[in-house]
Amino acid sequence: MRSTDSLIVRYIARRSVPFIQLYALYVLGHGEDGPGGGFQGGVIFASSFVLLGLANGWGYGRRAAPARLLDPLLPLGCLIYLGIGLAALLAGGAFLEYGALAGSDDPEVRRHWHHYGLIGIEVGVMVTVSAAMATLFFEMARPARVQARVDRVGEEADRA
Amino acid sequence: MDAQLPALVIVVPLLAALLVPLAGRRAAWGLVALALLLAFAGCVRLLVRAHALPEGEAIRYALGGWAAPVGIEYVVDRLNALVLTMLSGVAFLVALWMRRSTAREIRPPAVTGYYSVFLLMAAGLMGITITGDVFNLYVFLEIASITAYVLIAMGRRRQALYAGYSYLILGSLGATFILLGIGHLYMATGTLAMADIAAVFAREPQLYDSSVIRTAFAFFTVGLALKMALFPLHGWQPGAYAEAPSATSVFLAATATKVSAYALYRVAFTVFGVRFLETGLPVVRDALLVMACSAIVVGPLLAIRQHDLKRLLAYSSVGQIGYVVLGLALHNADGLTGSFLHFWNHAAAKGALFCVAGALAYRAGTTQVAALKGLGRRAPLTAMLLTVAACSMVGVPLTAGFLTKWYLARGALEAGQWAVIPVLLASSLFTAVYAWRLLQLAWFADEDGPVAEDVPWSMRAPSLVLGAACLVLGVAPLALPVAQAAAEALL
Amino acid sequence: MPDAGGPLLPPAGPAAAVPGPAAFADVLGWLATHYNYAIYILLMMIGLYAVLAKGNLVKKVIGLNLLQTAVFLFYLSIGKIDGATAPVVWTDRPPGAEGVPYENPVPHVLMLTAIVVGVSVTAVALALVVRIREAYGTVDEGEILASDEAQEEAESARAEAQEAAADAAGARE
Amino acid sequence: MSVLEIVAAAAIGLGSLLMLATAFGVAVFPDFYTRLHAAGKGDTLGQALVLAGLLCLGGDLTLVVKLVLIVFFIFIFNPTATHALARAGWVSGIVPWVRGGQDPGAPREPGA
């Protein structure tokens, strides 16, 4: 994927990235009481990198979201999810029983902690989903010359 | 912690699957082995606890603290404790076995990813087994399947890619049918929890005559038959087993299709109820009987013609899944006992045989049957493993396979299905034909030339444990009381 | 699922009724009220046809997606009640109050999960197709099988020769 | 009916009409560029007019802010997308349609 030679498209794509990401966070925050949530927010977040890749070339987008950063984020988001579930378990509740995180039996406090737990796992979902979507795009759209370099490195590793 | 075990046996492998890519290449394998060891220990503990409970009760665990009809419930009873123990035990042994094998067959940068996906698949399979919610069953089924597609496609040859793809297409087709079955079930009963659906059936027996319920059961049967590669629907299976990396082959062949078979047992007996098989839709029961019997005969027949050891074993698995399903079609205590025994017996025997194939791939770089010649001289322990496991497949007395056939035959007589007996005998005969071919090559076809190195102990020891299990389960039938109790609990 | 809120409604309303064996007029009447089921079956058949009959691997994946979409439609039809509202919590009027029926949210939640599963399957499938294209230079099933068969034949011929040699060696012993 | 409501009704009506015209244009125009022209211009203004009409109807502050933002972004992104599409069409060699001129489907040297 080459960079477009249109200044307008490149400029607008670059400038719109923070707005898209802000909107992704907005969607994430609204997941609890309306349409939205971690999955949708994550996809929107990833789309900002896809836009960069489309407008400014594969390499530009990949530098903004490098594999070095995304690959650890993939399991990390799930770990946030599982970690909150396990924390609830360690706090004496069932797995994923967020209310138990409060450490008190007051229903009001438990209700609050239930919300915190829910938002926490949504954040985890968002991290994984956005990393997965961006990785999917960049891996599938990888230009032939990059692919050739990756293959060469792989073969050298095989020989070693 | 004891109360949390049902969640922990799933969460620990899942957690490890996510930690493996972060841990880096050195710590990865240790993490895999540790997580699966913990899961195995938990499953054994669950098995003991489930058997201590009085008849008809089960260990129940409400995820997130939401009680059953609303939330998702994990249920451990005698049947799935048996399957869980088999699953986690085999997964642990394969994890021990696979370190050297994957180092030779998987590209170094992909090894941690392979371990991670392997753990995900183990967690998915255990999730299918432990869940008490039909939709959750579908989700775990898809987790296990998607990871299986990836694990297969990582094989060395390019055929692995196509094998993974065709499994993906047929597996997704099966999953879609299962999803439709769940939809029809929900449409008629308005609930997704297995125990709740069963309660609805008990309350309103006239539902058995509803076409929606019958459609649901038909969808479940076809979908799960596709997933477990029951005879006419086995198209994806030989390619998938033959082309996958050795470690994947061992794990898939020993566990994956059996878990789908377990899901069919769970749906047929716990959700729909044993009476539905008899009165609601007897035609499905008869169809399953025919499919199981044809699988038992045709599988070994197809295996005889193969030149690739892994493909040969894959076709033999097509036959062996027939034994697992036969009990469902007979649905009496002895038949079920036979099939439940086969969950363990076949896992041990087929696991051991695929370990031999993996050893061959490790040592000779090929899995052609011809590469077996001279195995008895070069690697006597591996050759003995091949002998024991093959005997168990044939059903020689004092091996585990014999018990399976004995109980299935008794169940068939009890059910008045005389035709099953010659089917079992014919299958043993055909199995003996290809087993003899393997053994003859291994022990009697000598080869001139230097004695090559055997596989390292890290591969030999776990496979010998599987081989020993074939003997121990046959001589001292440890599994028998467990399987009998599970069978009685279902009926 | 627990987050769906509200009590579980058993599927009710006209859409949940089951068609029995019916006369032609009844079938027409059923079509008029249950056309979504007819569409679901039609979509499913198209998808199934594409999965089984198309030779192009990408088209098979598209067929699979159609099949899944048909199932989504089926599920949403189960939960549908004519004239019902969305099961969203209003501060001034809770769902179910004042006799306002609301649609069963559970099928929607289930399909949300199923959509995620479907996306994952599609992603894996497309990744495999990309790799297949790299390895075989084609995405046509027939060409792939033909190419494999040629390779397979050569290999099995070699294997047979080896086995025969081994047998001969065994006979000499 | 207040003045604002009349303005709102007029804006929404005009916007809807424009979007209808857009759909019509996309269906009947002869080639890629003319269709893009219809889609790009008509849709942008149509959507903006509908949203402006809704804005006149009022609501709480967050709603007003959201609507203003949406209008703002539509005015930036729609023309950009149209521009990118037209450019992509040009680069990949699609010939603009000329009345009575050459065959619109005829290939053209890329970049010529």
Side-chain angles (χ1 to χ4, degrees):
Chain A
M1 194 177 318
R2 283 177 321 188
S3 162
T4 170
D5 52 358
S6 163
L7 184 66
I8 302 172
V9 175
R10 284 208 310 257
Y11 181 81
I12 296 284
R14 269 210 310 275
R15 290 298 133 139
S16 57
V17 164
F19 294 103
I20 296 174
Q21 296 183 343
L22 193 66
Y23 180 60
L25 292 175
Y26 167 85
V27 170
L28 167 75
H30 275 251
E32 207 183 347
D33 58 353
F39 195 88
Q40 292 85 338
V43 172
I44 295 171
F45 201 89
S47 74
S48 66
F49 296 111
V50 173
L51 182 65
L52 271 186
L54 282 175
N56 295 336
W58 188 88
Y60 191 97
R62 199 51 167 150
R63 273 194 297 282
R68 206 172 55 251
L69 179 72
L70 292 191
D71 287 356
L73 280 182
L74 279 170
L76 199 69
C78 290
L79 273 180
I80 294 174
Y81 194 126
L82 273 186
I84 290 173
L86 274 180
L89 192 147
L90 292 177
F95 182 64
L96 287 176
E97 188 178 352
Y98 320 117
L101 289 168
S104 90
D105 287 334
D106 181 7
E108 190 62 21
V109 181
R110 282 179 75 92
R111 212 166 55 78
H112 278 299
W113 276 94
H114 182 80
H115 289 297
Y116 299 149
L118 214 56
I119 292 170
I121 66 156
E122 289 287 351
V123 170
V125 169
M126 178 169 173
V127 169
T128 291
V129 167
S130 51
M133 289 293 162
T135 305
L136 270 179
F137 170 76
F138 284 116
E139 287 305 306
M140 287 209 181
R142 190 153 59 187
R145 61 195 155 73
V146 183
Q147 181 65 51
R149 202 167 60 227
V150 170
D151 284 348
R152 209 165 52 239
V153 171
E155 273 156 26
E156 272 158 21
D158 277 1
R159 272 200 299 276
Chain B
M1 271 303 144
D2 213 28
Q4 308 282 5
L5 264 186
L8 283 175
V9 292
I10 309 295
V11 172
V12 167
L14 215 56
L15 194 71
L18 301 170
L19 285 174
V20 161
L22 296 177
R25 220 176 283 177
R26 295 211 180 280
W29 177 79
L31 209 57
V32 175
L34 179 69
L36 288 171
L37 177 64
L38 287 176
F40 179 52
C43 288
V44 172
R45 171 90 189 115
L46 281 176
L47 179 73
V48 173
R49 269 176 61 196
H51 273 268
L53 286 176
E55 179 89 37
E57 279 186 32
I59 305 166
R60 290 174 186 280
Y61 183 88
L63 272 185
W66 296 86
V70 181
I72 293 168
E73 194 182 38
Y74 283 177
V75 182
V76 183
D77 63 4
R78 289 170 186 194
L79 171 58
N80 64 5
L82 174 131
V83 181
L84 275 175
T85 317
M86 179 272 286
L87 256 176
S88 52
V90 171
F92 173 59
L93 286 175
V94 175
L96 291 183
W97 185 85
M98 75 181 172
R99 192 163 74 104
R100 298 293 290 270
S101 171
T102 44
R104 206 165 268 200
E105 289 182 23
I106 311 278
R107 283 184 163 181
V111 168
T112 46
Y114 181 85
Y115 286 162
S116 176
V117 177
F118 180 85
L119 277 172
L120 273 182
M121 183 177 169
L125 288 175
M126 299 217 282
I128 300 173
T129 317
I130 206 170
T131 187
D133 181 284
V134 276
F135 194 79
N136 198 229
L137 182 114
Y138 164 77
V139 173
F140 274 124
L141 205 66
E142 280 299 69
I143 292 178
S145 303
I146 293 172
T147 47
Y149 311 146
V150 176
L151 288 180
I152 290 166
M154 282 172 92
R156 265 263 133 124
R157 295 174 355 132
R158 62 177 188 175
Q159 279 89 335
L161 293 170
Y162 186 69
Y165 179 86
S166 39
Y167 182 19
L168 185 144
I169 293 292
L170 288 174
S172 303
L173 215 56
T176 310
F177 286 158
I178 294 165
L179 191 58
L180 277 171
I182 295 168
H184 282 86
L185 205 54
Y186 180 70
M187 192 171 166
T189 61
T191 170
L192 290 165
M194 287 178 185
D196 216 30
I197 298 174
V200 171
F201 280 134
R203 215 164 41 238
E204 300 168 46
Q206 77 277 7
L207 269 181
Y208 280 163
D209 299 327
S210 144
S211 57
V212 179
I213 288 300
R214 290 177 177 182
T215 313
F217 191 69
F219 271 130
F220 270 117
T221 312
V222 176
L224 286 168
L226 255 171
K227 287 262 181 197
M228 73 173 102
L230 192 56
F231 165 57
L233 306 174
H234 66 280
W236 59 267
Q237 195 243 40
Y241 284 10
E243 302 299 343
S246 300
T248 309
S249 298
V250 178
F251 189 55
L252 267 183
T255 58
T257 50
K258 268 185 245 47
V259 171
S260 301
Y262 157 80
L264 188 57
Y265 273 99
R266 188 47 92 201
V267 168
F269 285 98
T270 307
V271 177
F272 283 85
V274 68
R275 228 169 50 72
F276 181 77
L277 274 180
E278 285 155 6
T279 62
L281 207 55
V283 62
V284 169
R285 183 197 58 190
D286 296 343
L288 280 176
L289 187 67
V290 172
M291 281 160 86
C293 287
S294 26
I296 288 172
V297 176
V298 176
L301 261 182
L302 289 171
I304 292 174
R305 298 178 46 233
Q306 302 305 319
H307 297 290
D308 182 89
L309 180 57
K310 277 166 92 174
R311 202 169 279 269
L312 182 152
L313 295 176
Y315 275 110
S316 129
S317 277
V318 171
Q320 298 288 321
I321 201 71
Y323 292 111
V324 177
V325 178
L326 192 57
L328 191 141
L330 297 173
H331 66 83
N332 53 30
D334 279 340
L336 286 178
T337 306
S339 282
F340 293 163
L341 277 175
H342 212 54
F343 276 114
W344 280 10
N345 296 347
H346 181 245
K350 195 46 70 65
L353 286 172
F354 268 101
C355 279
V356 173
L360 216 57
Y362 181 85
R363 209 171 39 77
T366 169
T367 54
Q368 292 294 315
V369 170
L372 277 174
K373 66 183 169 184
L375 190 75
R377 197 162 67 89
R378 281 188 317 237
L381 275 176
T382 310
M384 266 157 73
L385 180 68
L386 176 73
T387 313
V388 168
C391 285
S392 181
M393 299 289 289
V394 176
V396 175
L398 289 185
T399 58
F402 173 72
L403 279 177
T404 306
K405 298 197 183 190
W406 175 252
Y407 274 95
L408 278 177
R410 274 176 55 173
L413 290 181
E414 197 180 309
Q417 301 285 358
W418 297 90
V420 175
I421 309 293
V423 164
L424 290 176
L425 289 175
S427 143
S428 287
L429 188 70
F430 297 144
T431 311
V433 171
Y434 72 71
W436 173 247
R437 190 167 132 234
L438 301 183
L439 296 182
Q440 190 258 337
L441 272 173
W443 289 110
F444 305 123
D446 218 340
E447 187 197 28
D448 305 323
V451 176
E453 45 148 3
D454 199 358
V455 290
W457 270 103
S458 75
M459 285 172 81
R460 218 183 300 165
S463 55
L464 287 180
V465 171
L466 284 173
C470 292
L471 283 178
V472 171
L473 290 177
V475 178
L478 295 171
L480 195 57
V482 180
Q484 268 169 336
E488 274 155 23
L490 274 199
L491 288 171
Chain C
M1 264 185 304
D3 303 333
L8 289 176
L9 268 192
V18 184
F24 184 63
D26 284 348
V27 173
L28 272 187
W30 178 81
L31 265 182
T33 51
H34 294 73
Y35 54 88
N36 40 358
Y37 289 87
I39 295 172
Y40 129 68
I41 292 167
L42 195 71
L43 267 179
M44 194 171 148
M45 289 306 129
I46 296 172
L48 209 55
Y49 171 78
V51 169
L52 297 178
K54 290 287 174 193
N56 186 316
L57 300 187
V58 180
K59 285 185 183 165
K60 274 177 186 276
V61 176
I62 294 172
L64 210 57
N65 273 315
L66 256 178
L67 201 63
Q68 282 164 343
T69 312
V71 178
F72 303 157
L73 181 62
F74 165 69
Y75 266 78
L76 299 191
S77 304
I78 300 176
K80 175 75 184 158
I81 300 171
D82 263 351
T85 64
V88 175
V89 181
W90 291 321
T91 41
D92 55 338
R93 195 172 53 163
E98 300 165 32
V100 182
Y102 64 95
E103 282 182 14
N104 187 355
V106 177
H108 292 250
V109 181
L110 300 185
M111 283 311 99
L112 220 57
T113 314
I115 287 169
V116 175
V117 170
V119 168
S120 320
V121 171
T122 310
V124 173
L126 289 180
L128 281 178
V129 172
V130 169
R131 294 286 307 278
I132 286 175
R133 167 75 213 258
E134 282 170 11
Y136 288 87
T138 173
V139 290
D140 186 86
E141 196 167 34
E143 289 176 27
I144 290 170
L145 288 178
S147 154
D148 270 354
E149 213 161 290
Q151 196 185 335
E152 211 75 26
E153 255 167 39
E155 271 172 22
S156 71
R158 209 167 50 236
E160 248 164 64
Q162 269 178 9
E163 238 172 288
D167 280 350
R172 260 204 321 277
E173 288 290 311
Chain D
M1 225 171 161
S2 71
V3 181
L4 264 181
E5 275 174 359
I6 293 170
V7 172
I12 293 174
L14 196 62
S16 309
L17 211 64
L18 263 172
M19 292 203 322
L20 194 70
T22 302
F24 188 69
V26 170
V28 301
F29 276 175
D31 82 330
F32 175 74
Y33 297 105
T34 45
R35 284 177 196 188
L36 202 60
H37 169 80
K41 300 225 153 140
D43 217 31
T44 311
L45 194 59
Q47 285 176 15
L49 274 176
V50 169
L51 290 169
L54 291 174
L55 205 55
C56 293
L57 289 179
D60 54 8
L61 186 66
T62 51
L63 191 72
V64 170
V65 172
K66 280 182 202 172
L67 283 176
V68 169
L69 277 175
I70 293 173
V71 173
F72 175 72
F73 283 123
I74 281 178
F75 266 117
I76 291 180
F77 288 122
N78 257 8
T80 315
T82 313
H83 166 80
L85 272 176
R87 219 180 162 86
W90 178 255
V91 169
S92 55
I94 299 174
V95 194
W97 174 82
V98 188
R99 187 183 299 280
Q102 63 194 118
D103 176 18
R108 185 182 62 86
E109 283 300 308

